[in-house]
Amino acid sequence: MADRDHYDVLGVSRNATVEEVKLAFRKLAIQHHPDKNPDDPKATIRFKEINSSYQVLSDPQRRAMYDRFGHGAEAQGSPFGATGPFAGGVVDMSDLNIDGILGDLLGVFGVGRGDKGDIKRDMEITFEEAAFGCEKELRYERVVPCKTCDATGSEKGHRADTCTTCNGRGRVRMQQGLFPIAVERTCSRCKGTGNIITHPCGDCRGAGLVTGSNTLNVTLPEGVEDHATKLVSGGGNRTRAGRAGDLEITIRVKPHPFFQRNGNDVHAAVPITFAQAALGGEIDVPTLDGKGKVRVPPGTQPGAVLRLKGKGIPHRTTSGRGDQLVQVSIEVPTQLTDKQRELIETLAKELGESVQPQQQTFMEKLKALFG
C-alpha cells in the first residue's frame, strides 16, 4: 500500500508554518497514542505514521527534499534522506578518515558517518521495581573532557595553532565536476578540530578527551516494561566537536519466581489440595503487596483461574491497577497411610454412583465417536 501524503497525515496545508505543524502533531499524538488506546491494535501503526510525518515536515531540509521528490526522498538508501549524503543539498564528509577525491566519492555513495557519541547501557531491575517504579543509580564509563588541559589537548602554557588548511573550520569544501553540488569532508590535517596541537597534553595525548566514570540517578515510572528504553540527552560520550552524545538505557526486568506479566495483569500458579478444590475455602496467595487471600469456590476444577481485582501492575496513563490472575492446580498425594487409602477408596465408591458434569460430557463425546 502506498504511503500517505505527510501533509494529509497531519491535516495541514503545504504552506503550513513550523508552529502549525507542531500544533497538529501534538493534537494527533495525544489522540492516537497507544497508551490512550490500549484496546485498539492499530493505534501503534497510526502513531508511528503521525510521528514519521512530523519528523519530515518539522525539519526544513527534509521537508524541502520531500516537497521536491516525494516519498522517494525518504526511502531507504535515498541520498536525499535525513542520513543520506545529499541531505539539504550539501554532502557532509565529517569523520570519514578517507582523504582525497576517492574518499569524497565513497562518502557520496553511502560510506558511514562519524561517531556522534551515543552509547547504550543496560539496567537490571526487579519485577516489583518495574511494577511500582523506582530510582536507580547507574555507573558507567564514558568519554569526558580532559581536566588536565581543560579539553584543549595542549600542555599548560601552550596553545594550539590554527590549521592553515581549513582556516580553523575543521572541514574543507570542494566542487566535484561529477556532481553539481558542494562536497564537504573532514580536514585531513587537523582531523576536523580546526587546530594543530604542537605540545600535546600528557594525559589525553592531545585529544582533549579521556575515559572517566560517571554516576547517574535514573527515575523509572511505575509499570515500566522489560526491554523499554530511556534516553538521557547528553549522557553519552563527549566528541571532538564539543558535544556530548546521548545515553540509551535498556531496562532488563529480572524473572520473578511466582509472577509473570501480561500487560497490566499479573499471573501466578498456586497448588491446592483435592479437599480445598472439592469443598472450597480461602487460601493464601503471594501478591505484589505481600500475602493475600483468595476464595476457592466449591467444585473448583484443575486449571481454573481466580481473579484478584486491583492487585496487578499500576496503569501508566490512568489511575488504578490491573488484576492478579491465579491459576490453580490440584496436587495429588503420592504417599498414603492405610487409613487415608481406605478413606479415599470409600470416597471413590461414593463418587462412582454419581455422574459428574465433565464425565458426562466426556462419555457423550465418546459414544458419538464410537457409535
Side-chain angles (χ1 to χ4, degrees):
M1 184 175 66
D3 293 328
R4 293 176 60 199
D5 183 85
H6 289 319
Y7 293 96
D8 289 343
V9 172
L10 296 183
V12 297
S13 69
R14 292 189 171 272
N15 298 323
T17 64
V18 174
E19 288 302 318
E20 290 173 335
V21 170
K22 288 182 179 179
L23 184 63
F25 167 72
R26 289 171 183 166
K27 182 179 179 180
L28 291 172
I30 293 173
Q31 180 182 351
H32 297 285
H33 196 283
D35 289 344
K36 293 287 187 180
N37 303 273
D39 299 325
D40 187 354
K42 295 183 179 180
T44 300
I45 298 176
R46 292 198 303 271
F47 183 77
K48 288 182 178 178
E49 183 183 44
I50 293 166
N51 184 59
S52 176
S53 296
Y54 172 70
Q55 295 299 324
V56 173
L57 299 187
S58 63
D59 186 314
Q61 292 182 353
R62 294 177 66 181
R63 182 174 179 177
M65 291 296 103
Y66 175 73
D67 289 342
R68 185 174 179 184
F69 299 102
H71 284 289
E74 293 292 320
Q76 185 175 5
S78 169
F80 303 104
T83 59
F86 295 132
V90 176
V91 180
D92 186 356
M93 303 298 293
S94 301
D95 300 321
L96 288 180
N97 294 322
I98 304 175
D99 297 328
I101 294 178
L102 176 61
D104 294 335
L105 295 179
L106 289 175
V108 167
F109 287 107
V111 175
R113 301 172 69 85
D115 178 20
K116 296 181 181 179
D118 297 339
I119 57 178
K120 297 182 179 182
R121 295 292 183 270
D122 289 348
M123 174 179 285
E124 190 175 65
I125 62 176
T126 65
F127 193 94
E128 290 83 358
E129 288 172 334
F132 298 117
C134 62
E135 184 171 311
K136 302 286 286 186
E137 185 178 83
L138 177 65
R139 296 182 181 179
Y140 63 102
E141 297 290 319
R142 69 169 181 166
V143 176
V144 296
C146 177
K147 294 182 179 180
T148 303
C149 64
D150 295 327
T152 63
S154 297
E155 285 184 348
K156 292 291 185 180
H158 295 276
R159 297 179 61 183
D161 296 335
T162 300
C163 177
T164 56
T165 302
C166 64
N167 293 322
R169 290 184 63 246
R171 293 185 177 91
V172 293
R173 179 175 291 194
M174 306 174 59
Q175 190 75 30
Q176 298 291 137
L178 185 60
F179 300 98
I181 56 175
V183 177
E184 275 198 354
R185 63 179 175 86
T186 301
C187 177
S188 59
R189 187 180 179 215
C190 66
K191 307 302 181 186
T193 63
N195 299 315
I196 301 298
I197 304 296
T198 56
H199 295 80
C201 168
D203 288 346
C204 65
R205 299 181 180 179
L209 303 170
V210 294
T211 300
S213 179
N214 190 51
T215 300
L216 189 67
N217 288 324
V218 181
T219 301
L220 299 177
E222 56 186 17
V224 65
E225 297 182 355
D226 188 33
H227 290 92
T229 59
K230 182 180 180 67
L231 191 67
V232 181
S233 179
N237 292 328
R238 179 76 171 267
T239 65
R240 289 180 179 272
R243 298 183 299 271
D246 296 331
L247 168 67
E248 182 180 297
I249 303 173
T250 300
I251 306 303
R252 308 291 184 185
V253 181
K254 293 188 290 187
H256 196 278
F258 294 111
F259 304 132
Q260 289 185 337
R261 180 174 179 175
N262 183 10
N264 288 324
D265 291 336
V266 173
H267 291 243
V270 176
I272 62 176
T273 66
F274 170 78
Q276 289 172 324
L279 303 177
E282 272 193 346
I283 61 171
D284 293 330
V285 294
T287 73
L288 290 175
D289 301 312
K291 183 186 293 186
K293 290 184 178 295
V294 64
R295 191 180 71 85
V296 179
T300 295
Q301 300 299 312
V305 177
L306 309 176
R307 185 181 296 270
L308 289 170
K309 298 288 290 184
K311 291 296 184 180
I313 307 291
H315 298 300
R316 289 286 304 274
T317 58
T318 59
S319 60
R321 294 167 58 176
D323 300 333
Q324 178 169 329
L325 305 178
V326 180
Q327 185 176 36
V328 299
S329 60
I330 298 178
E331 286 193 331
V332 178
T334 57
Q335 294 181 345
L336 298 173
T337 65
D338 292 339
K339 175 114 176 132
Q340 290 170 337
R341 180 180 296 276
E342 181 181 347
L343 290 173
I344 292 178
E345 288 176 349
T346 301
L347 177 62
K349 292 178 181 179
E350 292 291 329
L351 293 177
E353 296 179 358
S354 61
V355 179
Q356 302 299 317
Q358 289 191 18
Q359 289 178 322
Q360 185 176 12
T361 303
F362 174 75
M363 294 303 296
E364 290 174 353
K365 291 180 180 179
L366 197 64
K367 289 180 181 178
L369 180 63
F370 295 106

